[in-house]
Amino acid sequence: TIAGSYAQTMNNIIDAPGDIAFVGYEHDGSSGYAFVFIDNCPPGTTIILDDEEWGGFTSGWQSTSGEGANTWTNDTDNIIPKGTVIKVENGNSNPTATFGSVTESDSGFNLGAEDAVFAYVGAFRTTGVTFLAMVGDPDNPGIQTLEDTGLILGLHAFDIDNIVGDDEGIYTGSINCNGTATECLQMINNSANWSGIGGGITFPSSVPD
């Protein structure tokens, strides 16, 4: 676990921006990613990890079926405590998760350069979802944006292109955060605390537990 994280609402429900934060993103292999809980996650929680592009309320999702999605569920019958990291491998084919369960709930999940993963709760690909976090390219013109998500770059969202010389990466900063939720999220979503995959940094083994 990443110790001492405090959620913005601390209501023991995964229901707001910043209730999770991404700590890993990999596309050259099997489309993997990892995220950490900033609030306690109750049993039955479902999070959609969507590969489709979001264009704001005006254009909505680029397509209802153009790219795929994973659905992660806390089926452990227990609260997953804040600070717990979930690592997902093989997002594009028979995905697996270190805690809970994950399925490729919509076929076509396949991360690539200039891509992104939007995490949200709510009905699949509606404009009324609650966005939790994002990792990838947040400003691919005419394709995807953070507009109308409630996510703030560097707080709830991480631009993978800010990692020097790489568009894949893993959080390699401190695993201790004893500040406010905002301070913890700023620490996690700071590119100075990420390293590119390669040179001894590999997914998922280098992702902190």
Side-chain angles (χ1 to χ4, degrees):
T1 62
I2 290 180
S5 297
Y6 298 93
Q8 292 154 303
T9 52
M10 285 305 295
N11 61 355
N12 299 310
I13 303 173
I14 305 303
D15 63 350
D19 277 350
I20 72 169
F22 283 101
V23 291
Y25 179 87
E26 181 262 355
H27 64 68
D28 281 343
S30 58
S31 293
Y33 53 88
F35 58 91
V36 60
F37 283 107
I38 307 298
D39 199 354
N40 295 321
C41 175
T45 296
T46 294
I47 299 173
I48 298 174
L49 293 307
D50 209 322
D51 183 25
E52 187 57 81
E53 288 81 12
W54 166 257
F57 287 150
T58 301
S59 55
W61 298 96
Q62 287 280 89
S63 168
T64 58
S65 59
E67 294 192 62
N70 291 171
T71 296
W72 177 89
T73 302
N74 179 3
D75 59 359
T76 68
D77 296 326
N78 295 302
I79 293 173
I80 297 178
K82 61 183 182 288
T84 302
V85 174
I86 308 295
K87 303 176 188 179
V88 176
E89 295 184 76
N90 303 312
N92 59 356
S93 178
N94 299 314
T96 60
T98 48
F99 293 94
S101 63
V102 62
T103 63
E104 188 182 12
S105 51
D106 186 73
S107 61
F109 190 96
N110 188 19
L111 301 179
E114 310 302 321
D115 213 339
V117 178
F118 288 91
Y120 59 85
V121 291
F124 178 62
R125 286 189 193 156
T126 67
T127 56
V129 302
T130 298
F131 288 92
L132 304 174
M134 172 269 181
V135 64
D137 185 352
D139 54 2
N140 197 341
I143 298 177
Q144 63 201 16
T145 179
L146 292 179
E147 182 181 344
D148 301 320
T149 63
L151 305 178
I152 299 171
L153 190 64
L155 182 62
H156 316 112
F158 183 72
D159 186 348
I160 205 76
D161 289 336
N162 285 338
I163 300 175
V164 176
D166 211 338
D167 57 5
E168 303 178 286
I170 289 170
Y171 176 78
T172 52
S174 173
I175 61 171
N176 296 302
C177 181
N178 297 309
T180 65
T182 295
E183 290 169 335
C184 295
L185 289 166
Q186 288 173 332
M187 182 179 78
I188 294 169
N189 288 293
N190 182 344
S191 60
N193 295 325
W194 283 62
S195 297
I197 291 177
I201 302 296
T202 58
F203 185 91
S205 59
S206 298
V207 177
D209 290 322

